[in-house]
Amino acid sequence: PNAPIPIPAELTKVRDDLAAALALDNAPDDFDVDTWLQEWLRLPQRALGGVPPMELLDSKSGIEQVERVLGSLMSGSYQ
């Protein structure tokens, strides 16, 4: 199994906002935001040029890119 990816402090607010939004949105009881986020971080993301977000978490600019994409997903503005 894959070891959990450490979540940078900058992303914990986005993670918490996502969890709160899902709670308001009546997400299924078995939906685990942490499991989803771990999977999302490992998968290539088109919005990041096909790069898995976890590969960008080692620099401030990379973390900011990941934060923007997650924020866009939450707001529904990502197409």
Side-chain angles (χ1 to χ4, degrees), residues 15-49:
R15 179 250 171 251
D16 293 346
D17 290 348
L18 180 59
L22 289 168
L24 292 175
D25 220 13
N26 297 320
D29 290 339
D30 62 348
F31 183 83
D32 182 347
V33 69
D34 293 308
T35 300
W36 177 86
L37 183 58
Q38 287 291 316
E39 185 175 330
W40 185 85
L41 288 169
R42 286 185 169 86
L43 296 173
Q45 301 298 323
R46 191 172 72 190
L48 296 170

Side-chain angles (χ1 to χ4, degrees), residues 10-21:
E10 295 89 342
L11 294 184
T12 56
K13 181 182 181 333
V14 177
R15 179 250 171 251
D16 293 346
D17 290 348
L18 180 59

Side-chain angles (χ1 to χ4, degrees), residues 8 10-11 56-57 59-68:
E10 295 89 342
L11 294 184
L56 301 172
L57 298 181
S59 71
K60 183 167 176 48
S61 64
I63 291 169
E64 289 170 354
Q65 287 178 340
V66 171
E67 193 175 20
R68 270 195 306 276

